[in-house]
Amino acid sequence: MKLATYRDGSRDGQLVVVSRDLALAHCASGIATRLQQVLDDWNFLSPQLEELSQTLNHGKARHAFAFEPAKCMAPLPRAYQWADGSSFINHVQLVRKARGAELPAHLYTDPLMYQGGSDDFIGPCDDIVCASADFGIDFEAEVAVITGDVTMGSAPDAGLEGIRLLMLANDVSLRHLIPAELAKGLGFFQSKPATAFSPVAVTPDELGSAWQGGRVHLNLESVWNGKRVGLCDAGPEMTFHFGELIAHMGKTRNVRAGSIVGSGTVSNKDWSRGYSCIAEKRAIETIESGAPKTGFMQYGDTIRIEMKGADGMSVFGAIEQRVVATAA
């Protein structure tokens, strides 16, 4: 099934069920009003939502209406936890090589991860608001999952079983703020503004055979200012699958229902596939010619992030954002 959250004036919005083709929606208020309610009582509420989803997909839902992504908040507008991995090792290697930094000793055995702000996610069509274009504004196209409860010390297989929903993310980075923050030794903070997520979150079964081994084997498209700059395969080169990322999170703590885990920037060794963030393009330019040529995003720039299935249909809907200045 596919779920979304419509704006209704509240912090957590109104849960809606969306048809497989993203054409229609139906309020889920007779079952649950918010997605977190469903995550907290998944075994009882999700079958009821699935039944509504089937009715909607068969054109028999009496109160269906046209689905409008512009009315969406993030599927989970605020979460108990947002942890983003860096599971595409090619991305780590490129960015660090370009700046002459050493690679972590346990790069292939221990996932890199940071914990971001989860109190103020933004919707798929919301602006990227930034106080200064000099901050080095960059998009980062990713895949993310929403979990149920996963107990501390769980193995990766248990982590996979804890995945409830998948979605896309634009984990915006302010690149020029990162070096000073990392130099302090405690990681990202101001350099990671609000993250945007796709209009809908989907259960793993919606992906069919594309969901294999805790990875999404589909292409993730990034379109910057109307030009496709990336069509990267999100599957084979994901070194740590989502079960391993969740197990990494849970090494010393419980992972509670409503936690969101990101894959990190989707990246491929085949440079002809393009890039899922500008920093990677600049890294390639630096490696090839000694200096970057591509600038970061400016006010007025747009970014569109989308993933299509084997049938050519959009799986999650598109993230479509514009960069704007902070209001005076």
Side-chain angles (χ1 to χ4, degrees), residues 43-222:
N43 290 338
F44 178 67
L45 295 177
S46 66
Q48 298 176 55
L49 292 173
E50 180 62 38
E51 184 177 350
L52 176 56
S53 174
Q54 292 299 324
T55 302
L56 183 63
N57 285 325
H58 286 93
K60 297 180 180 180
R62 293 181 57 190
H63 301 292
F65 51 87
F67 178 59
E68 298 179 66
K71 292 184 177 180
C72 289
M73 305 171 76
L76 192 59
R78 51 180 177 167
Y80 289 113
Q81 183 170 206
W82 159 231
D84 197 20
S86 190
S87 55
F88 289 85
I89 299 303
N90 184 64
H91 171 76
V92 180
Q93 291 174 322
L94 282 175
V95 173
R96 296 203 176 199
K97 182 178 180 180
R99 68 171 189 257
E102 292 185 7
L103 292 172
H106 304 292
L107 185 64
Y108 286 92
T109 58
D110 194 32
L112 295 172
M113 185 171 284
Y114 86 93
Q115 192 157 22
S118 60
D119 58 328
D120 187 33
F121 295 137
I122 55 178
C125 300
D126 290 345
D127 292 334
I128 299 169
V129 180
C130 191
S132 173
D134 293 334
F135 287 168
I137 306 164
D138 196 358
F139 64 89
E140 287 193 56
E142 306 186 8
V143 181
V145 300
I146 305 176
T147 77
D149 287 325
V150 181
T151 57
M152 181 173 62
S154 292
D157 285 350
L160 285 179
E161 292 176 2
I163 293 172
R164 299 290 181 253
L165 297 160
L166 295 100
M167 53 189 177
L168 303 181
N170 181 15
D171 180 41
V172 178
S173 289
L174 304 179
R175 299 293 183 185
H176 292 158
L177 302 185
I178 289 176
E181 290 201 308
L182 294 183
K184 296 177 181 178
L186 283 178
F188 305 128
F189 195 81
Q190 293 175 337
S191 53
K192 285 292 186 178
T195 303
F197 293 94
S198 52
V200 301
V202 312
T203 48
D205 62 284
E206 289 287 340
L207 296 170
S209 61
W211 177 243
Q212 296 180 31
R215 301 170 176 88
V216 179
H217 292 259
L218 292 171
N219 293 328
L220 183 59
E221 182 182 52
S222 299

